[in-house]
Amino acid sequence: MIKKLALSAMTVLALGSTPVLAAESGHVHDFAFSFEGPFGSYDRAQLQRGLQVYTEVCAACHGLDLVTFRSLSDETGLGLEDDVMRAYAATMEVPDGDGGYRAASGPDHFPGSSMENAPDLSMMAKARAGFHGPYGLGINQLLHGIGGPEYIASFLTGFTGEETEQGGAIFYENTAFGGNVAMPPQLEDGLLEYADGTEATEEQMAQDVAAFLMWAAEPKLVERKMWGFIGVIFLALLASLLYLTNKRLWAPVKDAAKNS
Ligand code: HEC
């Protein structure tokens, strides 16, 4: 019985370790992100670089209206100092409720998309989750993460350079999207200068902003994993205590049976 169980568990794990993508038509590359796996956590420097890419490039069209500025100070996320976070917020404008605009502060949310057909990016890393594993068991999600940031990074680096015009609008061929998309290619080597000195290659920027968007969609990922781990330890302890209690409770009965 135990042998059988162990065997099927091993099969599931073996199946799970080959990245299987959902029935997405496009090509998604399996980038190795620091926050994957049961003990993965965010790389603070990478998230900060991702915020820089978002601010300097994506924010021209895309919003992040579910994310608050003060969450940029979260310890398990970007960990910005309070005054740095507030200075950053003050560079953004939000509606003041009177039809005008004012500088944003900590509790405010990022502005929404300024371009009508550019989707808000707050939950994009989850909306495009690509890794589910065989039969949607989610085993790949445990081992490789959900695949959303992989999709975003593949999307940003997946432009082929082909353009087509349709009804007066230009569309760009993209291998991750699996067809033509209305968003023009955004990243190219050396597009910006990273504050931390990292070389801003196309792939580096794509991964950094994808990691940042994963954080935006799931800011409590690290805490969630920690509590999951504590839960497993607790259950293991509880199981062994119950086993010992069970043995002890039945010991007199067993002794009696042996002696009779
Ligand atoms: C010039 C405006 C513009 C900029 C700048 C821009 N985007 Fe887009 N983006 C769009 C538009 C428009 C769409 C919708 C495309 C469509 O559905 O055909 C889009 C779609 C997307 C999608 C969704 C693709 C899908 O699967 O539906 C993602 C992800 C995305 N953008 C990420 C980014 C990131 C990250 C950046 C910054 C590096 C960025 N975009 C910069 C205009 C822009």
Side-chain angles (χ1 to χ4, degrees), residues 142-163:
L142 184 66
L143 300 170
H144 299 279
I146 63 175
E150 277 84 352
Y151 171 77
I152 295 175
S154 302
F155 174 66
L156 293 171
T157 52
F159 290 95
T160 62
E162 290 294 318
E163 297 178 9

Side-chain angles (χ1 to χ4, degrees), residues 61-73:
C61 303
H62 291 283
L64 269 183
D65 69 6
L66 296 177
V67 179
T68 60
F69 290 106
R70 73 176 154 208
S71 64
L72 297 174
S73 294

Side-chain angles (χ1 to χ4, degrees), residues 19-65:
V20 179
L21 296 178
E24 211 83 303
S25 51
H27 170 75
V28 174
H29 181 72
D30 186 10
F31 293 95
F33 284 107
S34 65
F35 43 81
E36 289 167 2
F39 302 108
S41 61
Y42 290 122
D43 170 350
R44 185 177 278 191
Q46 178 170 52
L47 297 188
Q48 293 182 0
R49 289 194 301 271
L51 172 68
Q52 192 183 342
V53 178
Y54 170 75
T55 312
E56 292 184 24
V57 186
C58 324
C61 303
H62 291 283
L64 269 183
D65 69 6

